[in-house]
């Protein structure tokens, strides 16, 4: 599916998650909230893969994590991001320079790269964006 197809779908009707989608999403958030203090994004991705919680490729899983980080549900150690406030892409990308896990790696990008287990999940932002679907 490309962006044009997706735009057409949401133009015609809202996308309503199934009860299974909601349960998986909440299990994903809980697994992030309960991450060991020193867990890195790479270690979490390996754990998520072994959990077989989210269907799809590693790229799909990374895209979900990157999206959650972009709206601030998954905080990062460099800058605060929020869905209702503009953040310059340059500031986000430059944040990578402050991280040890992105140097020389083209696959690990901010803002997801700036998350660590001790940062957990910002449940207030999750509730704000996903409302009734969040079950902390």
């Amino acid at each position: 599916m490309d962006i044009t197809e997706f735009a057409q779908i949401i133009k015609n009707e809202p996308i309503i998650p199934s009860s299974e989608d909601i349960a998986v999403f909440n299990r994903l958030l809980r697994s992030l909230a309960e991450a060991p203090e020193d867990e890195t994004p790479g270690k979490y991705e390996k754990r998520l893969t072994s959990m077989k919680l989210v269907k799809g490729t590693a790229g799909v899983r990374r895209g979900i994590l990157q999206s959650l980080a972009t709206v601030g549900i998954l905080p990062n150690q460099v800058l605060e991001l929020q869905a209702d406030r503009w953040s310059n892409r340059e500031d986000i990308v430059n944040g990578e320079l402050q991280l040890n896990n992105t140097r020389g790696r083209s696959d690990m990008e901010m803002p997801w790269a700036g998350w660590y287990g001790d940062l957990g999940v910002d449940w207030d932002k999750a509730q704000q964006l996903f409302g009734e679907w969040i079950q902390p």
Side-chain angles (χ1 to χ4, degrees):
M1 176 183 305
D2 67 18
I3 194 72
T4 306
E5 292 171 309
F6 184 69
Q8 190 62 36
I9 289 170
I10 61 174
K11 178 181 176 186
N12 293 332
E13 59 186 73
I15 296 173
I16 307 295
S18 69
S19 57
E20 181 183 348
D21 294 334
I22 293 167
V24 167
F25 184 60
N26 279 280
R27 285 197 304 270
L28 172 70
L29 292 179
R30 279 193 298 279
S31 74
L32 286 154
E34 297 167 356
E37 208 173 274
D38 62 344
E39 189 164 49
T40 64
K43 287 180 184 176
Y44 178 78
E45 287 179 7
K46 288 177 185 172
R47 183 163 62 95
L48 180 60
T49 298
S50 70
M51 291 169 52
K52 299 181 181 179
L53 178 64
V54 178
K55 295 177 184 170
T57 66
V60 167
R61 290 186 292 276
R62 169 83 55 91
I64 292 168
L65 297 166
Q66 185 75 330
S67 296
L68 291 171
T70 299
V71 296
I73 291 174
L74 298 180
N76 71 75
Q77 56 188 313
V78 178
L79 66 144
E80 183 181 351
L81 298 173
Q82 296 185 46
D84 62 349
R85 188 177 71 207
W86 177 259
S87 296
N88 288 325
R89 184 73 185 146
E90 183 178 0
D91 293 338
I92 296 170
V93 171
N94 284 340
E96 293 177 9
L97 300 174
Q98 299 174 42
L99 302 172
N100 291 329
N101 61 336
T102 56
R103 297 208 172 103
R105 288 190 61 179
S106 61
D107 66 328
M108 190 58 69
E109 300 175 343
M110 276 287 289
W112 166 235
W115 176 87
Y116 271 85
D118 65 337
L119 296 172
V121 170
D122 186 328
W123 289 107
D124 291 335
K125 287 181 184 172
Q127 187 73 46
Q128 179 185 14
L129 292 173
F130 294 101
E132 67 194 59
W133 297 324
I134 297 300
Q135 302 149 355

